Amino acid sequence: SLVWGATPGMLFQKDKDSSIHPLDLSWVFGYNSSLAVHSLMDGQDRVLLYISSHTVVIHDILQNRQYHLQGHTNVISCLCVSEDKRWVVTADQGPDALIIVWDSYSGVPVCTIFETHSEDGICAIAISQDAKYLVTISAAAVQKVCVWRWTLPTEKVICSTELKPEFGYQDYVIFNPQNPHEFVSNSKTQVIFYLWVISHSLHSHTAWLLSPQTFKCRVGQFSQSVFHFNTTQALTGTSAGKLVVWDMDNPRTLPEELPAKPHGVTATKVVSMQKESLTVLQVLESCIVTGDVEGQVKFYDGQLRLLTIYSHDKVGPIQSISFSTILRDPPSASPDSSQPFLTSWSDSSNSVSLTLNRNFILSTSDATMFHVATDSTNFERIMEEAKKAVNAIACHPQEPLVAVGSHCGLLKVWEYRQTKYLVSRIFTEAGIQCLSYDPEGHLLAAGFTDGSVDILDAISLQSICKEFQFSQGPVTHISFSHDSKYLATADENYTVTVYKRVLEKGSRCWEHLAGLESHYKPIRSLLFGVHSASPEPRLLSLGADRQLVEYDLKSSIKDHLVVTHRDRLEQDAVPLCLTWYPQLSAESFFITANNCYKMKLYNTTTKMCRKTLLGPTYGSPLEKIQILPRTSSADPQQHYLVYITKDKVGLQMLPVDGNPHKSSAFICHPDGASDFAISHDGRYVFTAGGRERTFMKWKVNLPALDAASFLGGEDLIPFYNLLDGGRDGKFFRELEDYFYYVQLCSQGIGTLETRQVSTHIPLEEIPSVMRAIGFYPSEEEIEEMINEVKFSKYVDTGEEVTKINLDDFIKLYINHRPALDLSMKTIQKAFQVLGYDNEKGDKVIDRGDFLLLLQRRGEQMTEDELAECLTTLLGRRAKKGESEQDTCDLTGAAALTEEEIPAEITAEIFVRDFLGLPIAE
């Protein structure tokens, strides 16, 4: 098998070009600096293992290559590595949390544990010295500790116990390397020692809370704990720079059964090691190693006598230390003490010499890694990444360059084909929120969290003019016009600001033109284009207020931004993103995506909705969209759209028609994708991970998506599969019946003339059939559906369509019906907005208010329409001696008695009594 014959380093020999996915993860930039970094190989092949979001990255630093272990759907919360560096165990927190054991030699997941015994996932994990057992601590409010034998074929949990909340949140755990049946965990205030046997029993002994009075000194908060290598002692590091020494009176041998009470553990002393807080505590052979907030690494012998100090003024708070498994030759002389690196040798024993002959990797909490060679005077910085959220990303329009900005003020430019870092700049005043290259590639504009805008030289990253400060809130969008004459920004205060390029003393410079608070809710998209009748730039902004605003840049003057059009795009849904649609027909469109999983095409001139289409449905709506640039090898007739959702990146084949097989998506950032950019040649997509502090490079593989679309079926096959029961189901047969019944009605039910059998029905009958099969569109949606069919061929033929066949009707139904079923939660939310709290604390709507709302708000109903509707819904029958016509002739809503409409209407009453729908318990 792959695992049996695997050897170190064989990962990178695999062929990565044979991909079956439309998007392949090619490179991961940045890492989770709150988790440990492990040195897998050192020497000629310097290989590190670290976590980036939901991905395990095995990174060969010297050869500049990566291998990715993918399997988690949530951000990885903890990891551990076996003593021989072969077995890697990762766990996550969130829905469907997993524990995965990986073989680092082959990259194969040898064990996946789906039942983690915690809905909240895992916060701490450790592997025993013999690599047979795992211990996990859940992330729940009431934490659960489990011991696993991961090599078992079925039930892997050996024993478990729940922890009391007063023990604090236990977030660190480690096995006793000399006895896998013992382990210790700690929170900030409590240390717990455990002993377990195969009989599914797990006992714990909790050390008491240490106060300053216990040892007449300040102890501080606990960080990490370890077992001493040659005594029945354990050590715990603290934030006060001290080590707590625990004495255990239990023997080393394992009893057959656990005693009635756990063996005693006593805090015998607190040793003051230093003033600085201890963040890392490890045992390496015959040495005890500490790391602190000042970046110092110290080695002690078994009696806690100092052996060596490694320090450098550029090293921040240490998060982890990982030692090489390869021994180097011992140093011939002590390093020069004048260097920033300091060491002192005070023990000449063989075991200590072997320990100090191991190079190690330092990882700091400020996202920097160092390689430390113990015979060298230099700390080699091997990686320095963003310390805060990465929200800004932009690709150069002509060169293989990608610029990335972080909230810590770090701006980096990478050459992405060879994955080489080129240049960087740190802005100390504010964080970078958005970036954009100009179309010529000479300038790079940056929008900041303090509302400022800076225009930089694209190569040197130096400012070409004084920064602008015209936004009162963080700049969320920034974009250049096609001719580089204008720069537009949008900010969190719903304001669009425009800057203009001018000539001053013979040289180009930029000045503020005007700004306008054009929306009353967050601006979702800012888009430049070109007018169809002239080469002048065109600027649009789309807001969560459903307004599409177009600006007249040519007529705008200093401090006055002119608006030419203001159009409401949606009735109920919220538009989330906007881009220009490729010219696939004689008519020009822009495309939007809304929060109801619909994509809509609008005429660029009239702003009329021309098509409503079912978009990708992968757990959350599309947040941002862009058209993929054409590659030289791509089909010239085929176009694609790239999008991100809350946590995924995906591809969509164009034209969009509602076929689900024409799109695919992959998890990129489980904690939220903030932005994305596409390379100028369309070969790569880059996604920014926001608070995950990472960004990823994805390789585009269009033939894979084409193949998936082909395998999904042609013509109407994909749409039949979206119907309940498919082509042969009851729903389809009912739809056919309704379709033919409408034909009978249109020709007259009682006619004696010869029937004209047709495959079409008149457009005006579309609403009736839609309602008959359970879809109840609003009047505006009805108008959009009819117009979509009526004008579908108008541009090409100049004629209006007056009828529709069954196949087109099915597509119309699939694309217009709600993507998700109406939920009780949605109705309850409406009652929370419209209603009030009654005496029982329920959200209710008063009967009078309920009737007035239906007659005066939204698509207003007349009193007669309302009375007829409520009479039908409530099932009111004609009384004896009273015809149904008489019932309908009663004066509007007054015909309904108080018994039929309660004085206070709850969401449950509305669903059960008005709509006649069942309510799930």
Side-chain angles (χ1 to χ4, degrees):
S1 70
L2 286 176
V3 176
W4 182 260
T7 57
M10 68 173 286
L11 276 177
F12 301 104
Q13 300 170 10
K14 294 186 177 182
D15 183 12
K16 297 185 69 175
D17 293 330
S18 56
S19 171
I20 59 173
H21 303 296
L23 289 171
D24 262 316
L25 184 59
S26 176
W27 199 273
V28 179
F29 303 81
Y31 71 102
N32 186 346
S33 59
S34 64
L35 298 181
V37 174
H38 292 273
S39 173
L40 297 186
M41 299 173 65
D42 193 76
Q44 292 183 348
D45 297 310
R46 188 181 299 169
V47 180
L48 306 182
L49 181 143
Y50 52 85
I51 302 299
S52 291
S53 183
H54 64 307
T55 304
V56 183
V57 180
I58 298 178
H59 189 169
D60 186 339
I61 298 294
L62 300 180
Q63 299 296 324
N64 196 33
R65 52 191 181 179
Q66 286 185 350
Y67 190 88
H68 307 115
L69 307 181
Q70 297 175 274
H72 290 275
T73 58
N74 305 303
V75 172
I76 295 173
S77 56
C78 52
L79 82 156
C80 58
V81 177
S82 63
E83 181 71 17
D84 61 2
K85 306 295 182 77
R86 176 159 192 178
W87 310 110
V88 179
V89 189
T90 55
D92 62 58
Q93 295 179 16
D96 302 319
L98 299 175
I99 301 171
I100 303 179
V101 182
W102 309 86
D103 174 21
S104 70
Y105 292 179
S106 63
V108 173
V110 293
C111 175
T112 301
I113 301 174
F114 297 95
E115 299 294 332
T116 61
H117 294 260
S118 172
E119 294 181 357
D120 299 282
I122 306 299
C123 73
I125 194 167
I127 188 169
S128 61
Q129 182 87 354
D130 57 10
K132 292 181 179 179
Y133 303 104
L134 303 176
V135 58
T136 62
I137 303 179
S138 71
V142 178
Q143 291 184 288
K144 189 173 184 178
V145 181
C146 295
V147 178
W148 311 76
R149 178 73 181 263
W150 64 270
T151 54
L152 294 177
T154 54
E155 178 59 44
K156 300 179 181 356
V157 176
I158 298 175
C159 52
S160 63
T161 187
E162 287 190 351
L163 302 180
K164 298 177 181 178
E166 54 262 33
F167 291 167
Y169 188 78
Q170 301 284 316
D171 57 3
Y172 183 81
V173 65
I174 188 171
F175 274 100
N176 185 343
Q178 301 178 48
N179 183 0
H181 294 266
E182 287 183 278
F183 57 93
V184 61
S185 71
N186 66 261
S187 65
K188 295 291 186 291
T189 58
Q190 297 274 351
V191 177
I192 306 177
F193 293 86
Y194 307 80
L195 185 65
W196 65 274
V197 293
I198 299 296
S199 61
H200 294 261
S201 298
L202 176 62
H203 280 181
S204 63
H205 177 81
T206 306
W208 60 84
L209 178 65
L210 298 183
S211 66
Q213 289 75 30
T214 307
F215 293 98
K216 298 181 180 179
C217 66
R218 187 174 75 89
V219 177
Q221 294 185 329
F222 298 142
S223 56
Q224 293 184 359
S225 300
V226 294
F227 287 91
H228 201 288
F229 51 82
N230 61 6
T231 67
T232 57
Q233 290 182 330
L235 307 172
T236 300
T238 79
S239 60
K242 297 177 172 61
L243 284 181
V244 180
V245 181
W246 309 93
D247 269 342
M248 297 173 287
D249 58 14
N250 59 310
R252 283 296 186 191
T253 57
L254 179 69
E256 293 182 3
E257 294 184 2
L258 289 178
K261 291 185 178 181
H263 295 292
V265 181
T266 307
T268 56
K269 58 183 175 180
V270 174
V271 182
S272 181
M273 310 299 291
Q274 59 187 57
K275 293 181 180 179
E276 297 83 6
S277 174
L278 296 177
T279 56
V280 176
L281 180 62
Q282 289 186 12
V283 169
L284 179 67
E285 296 176 349
S286 59
C287 281
I288 294 167
V289 187
T290 66
D292 60 37
V293 293
E294 295 296 325
Q296 300 178 105
V297 178
K298 297 182 180 181
F299 288 76
Y300 299 88
D301 65 11
Q303 287 73 46
L304 300 183
R305 293 175 298 188
L306 181 65
L307 300 176
T308 308
I309 302 174
Y310 295 92
S311 65
H312 195 288
D313 57 3
K314 297 295 184 182
V315 181
I318 294 176
Q319 187 66 35
S320 70
I321 306 171
S322 181
F323 290 89
S324 168
T325 56
I326 300 175
L327 297 178
R328 63 164 182 80
D329 294 331
S332 58
S334 298
D336 184 358
S337 60
S338 64
Q339 298 293 330
F341 173 96
L342 172 65
T343 181
S344 64
W345 297 85
S346 60
D347 195 310
S348 58
S349 68
N350 290 334
S351 59
V352 171
S353 297
L354 289 175
T355 299
L356 300 180
N357 287 346
R358 296 180 186 275
N359 297 337
F360 56 92
I361 297 293
L362 288 183
S363 169
T364 68
S365 58
D366 57 4
T368 308
M369 295 183 202
F370 295 89
H371 178 267
V372 182
T374 50
D375 62 345
S376 170
T377 59
N378 294 321
F379 278 50
E380 181 187 353
R381 183 188 287 111
I382 54 179
M383 194 178 297
E384 184 175 13
E385 300 298 336
K387 301 169 179 59
K388 294 183 180 179
V390 175
N391 285 343
I393 191 164
C395 284
H396 195 281
Q398 298 170 12
E399 301 294 332
L401 306 177
V402 59
V404 183
S406 165
H407 275 191
C408 66
L410 176 64
L411 173 60
K412 265 188 171 183
V413 177
W414 293 80
E415 199 280 343
Y416 54 73
R417 284 182 187 159
Q418 303 298 322
T419 319
K420 291 183 179 180
Y421 156 71
L422 296 181
V423 64
S424 65
R425 178 180 173 183
I426 296 179
F427 297 85
T428 58
E429 299 299 322
I432 304 170
Q433 184 69 29
C434 52
L435 293 168
S436 178
Y437 281 100
D438 77 313
E440 298 173 352
H442 301 321
L443 305 175
L444 177 63
F448 293 85
T449 53
D450 64 352
S452 60
V453 173
D454 208 344
I455 302 176
L456 315 172
D457 179 84
I459 298 176
S460 67
L461 302 186
Q462 297 304 307
S463 303
I464 65 167
C465 59
K466 188 177 180 181
E467 72 173 28
F468 298 103
Q469 184 75 58
F470 289 94
S471 297
Q472 300 304 311
V475 178
T476 56
H477 299 77
I478 192 165
S479 181
F480 284 95
S481 62
H482 74 285
D483 55 5
S484 299
K485 290 183 179 179
Y486 294 94
L487 172 69
T489 67
D491 59 46
E492 285 190 1
N493 287 346
Y494 323 141
T495 300
V496 172
T497 307
V498 178
Y499 303 87
K500 187 176 182 180
R501 191 183 69 190
V502 295
L503 282 175
E504 188 174 288
K505 297 180 180 179
S507 61
R508 294 179 176 180
C509 60
W510 291 81
E511 68 174 15
H512 173 258
L513 179 62
L516 179 67
E517 188 176 334
S518 47
H519 297 269
Y520 63 88
K521 285 188 177 181
I523 296 173
R524 298 291 312 186
S525 288
L526 188 67
L527 187 65
F528 269 108
V530 184
H531 283 284
S532 56
S534 70
E536 288 297 316
R538 186 179 184 185
L539 178 61
L540 306 172
S541 66
L542 178 66
D545 54 7
R546 305 179 179 86
Q547 298 289 322
L548 178 70
V549 181
E550 182 169 1
Y551 307 87
D552 187 347
L553 298 177
K554 190 173 183 181
S555 302
S556 298
I557 58 175
K558 183 67 174 175
D559 297 328
H560 181 63
L561 187 59
V562 178
V563 173
T564 56
H565 296 96
R566 188 183 291 271
D567 301 278
R568 183 183 176 96
L569 295 189
E570 298 277 2
Q571 182 182 30
D572 180 54
V574 178
L576 299 179
C577 46
L578 164 77
T579 195
W580 301 107
Y581 199 66
Q583 195 76 36
L584 303 180
S585 64
E587 193 172 3
S588 299
F589 302 106
F590 59 81
I591 185 171
T592 67
N594 63 31
N595 66 335
C596 294
Y597 298 93
K598 300 296 184 183
M599 304 180 81
K600 293 190 174 184
L601 295 180
Y602 294 86
N603 183 284
T604 56
T605 304
T606 64
K607 311 295 196 317
M608 177 183 176
C609 180
R610 295 286 291 104
K611 264 196 175 182
T612 299
L613 303 151
L614 177 65
T617 53
Y618 296 109
S620 58
L622 308 192
E623 298 282 343
K624 296 186 178 183
I625 55 177
Q626 288 185 41
I627 302 300
L628 185 74
R630 302 279 287 278
T631 61
S632 56
S633 60
D635 182 353
Q637 302 301 319
Q638 188 64 62
H639 295 263
Y640 300 83
L641 178 141
V642 183
Y643 60 85
I644 56 171
T645 67
K646 180 183 177 182
D647 59 348
K648 298 176 181 70
V649 59
L651 278 176
Q652 168 74 53
M653 291 179 65
L654 300 181
V656 183
D657 59 5
N659 182 351
H661 300 292
K662 286 189 174 182
S663 68
S664 65
F666 302 86
I667 297 175
C668 56
H669 302 284
D671 267 0
S674 58
D675 199 2
F676 77 98
I678 309 174
S679 64
H680 68 91
D681 57 5
R683 296 181 183 274
Y684 297 100
V685 176
F686 299 85
T687 58
R691 61 182 182 178
E692 292 178 3
R693 296 171 291 171
T694 62
F695 76 100
M696 298 181 177
K697 180 176 79 169
W698 302 81
K699 188 176 181 180
V700 177
N701 182 20
L702 298 179
L705 183 59
D706 296 340
S709 175
F710 175 78
L711 293 173
E714 298 179 338
D715 301 325
L716 254 75
I717 293 176
F719 297 93
Y720 288 144
N721 294 334
L722 293 175
L723 298 176
D724 187 18
R727 175 69 174 79
D728 301 321
K730 180 181 177 182
F731 181 86
F732 182 80
R733 292 196 299 271
E734 288 183 352
L735 177 56
E736 282 185 314
D737 291 342
Y738 288 130
F739 214 75
Y740 295 127
Y741 179 72
V742 167
Q743 292 185 26
L744 293 176
C745 292
S746 64
Q747 297 175 33
I749 294 294
T751 183
L752 298 178
E753 297 179 5
T754 304
R755 296 284 182 183
Q756 299 296 321
V757 179
S758 172
T759 58
H760 295 75
I761 62 171
L763 293 188
E764 55 269 19
E765 297 295 342
I766 288 177
S768 301
V769 181
M770 289 289 183
R771 290 167 182 151
I773 58 178
F775 170 39
Y776 301 94
S778 66
E779 295 300 319
E780 184 172 314
E781 288 173 327
I782 290 171
E783 184 180 357
E784 287 183 352
M785 282 192 290
I786 293 176
N787 286 339
E788 179 177 321
V789 181
K790 181 187 291 185
F791 299 110
S792 58
K793 300 179 180 178
Y794 188 82
V795 174
D796 298 324
T797 65
E799 297 178 356
E800 296 181 358
V801 176
T802 59
K803 54 187 179 180
I804 185 172
N805 61 28
L806 180 59
D807 289 352
D808 290 339
F809 183 89
I810 290 174
K811 289 184 179 181
L812 192 70
Y813 168 71
I814 292 293
N815 283 311
H816 280 265
R817 69 175 180 179
L820 304 177
D821 293 333
L822 180 65
S823 66
M824 190 67 193
K825 187 177 179 180
T826 304
I827 296 175
Q828 288 171 339
K829 185 177 179 181
F831 271 73
Q832 288 176 354
V833 174
L834 300 173
Y836 62 90
D837 292 321
N838 64 5
E839 294 178 354
K840 297 179 181 180
D842 298 327
K843 283 288 182 183
V844 299
I845 300 178
D846 178 77
R847 177 173 55 213
D849 293 339
F850 176 76
L851 298 174
L852 287 175
L853 284 169
L854 292 173
Q855 294 177 78
R856 296 181 181 178
R857 300 290 292 273
E859 292 185 347
Q860 301 170 6
M861 303 176 71
T862 65
E863 190 171 0
D864 291 341
E865 289 174 337
L866 178 59
E868 182 181 356
C869 180
L870 291 175
T871 299
T872 304
L873 287 174
L874 295 173
R876 190 174 191 273
R877 296 289 181 263
K879 297 177 182 178
K880 187 175 181 179
E882 181 183 81
S883 67
E884 290 188 11
Q885 183 62 41
D886 294 334
T887 301
C888 294
D889 287 341
L890 294 174
T891 309
L896 299 167
T897 66
E898 293 184 3
E899 293 181 0
E900 293 166 312
I901 301 181
E904 292 182 339
I905 304 168
T906 65
E908 289 73 19
I909 291 175
F910 179 74
V911 171
R912 184 183 61 247
D913 299 341
F914 284 76
L915 301 183
L917 300 175
I919 300 176
E921 295 183 2

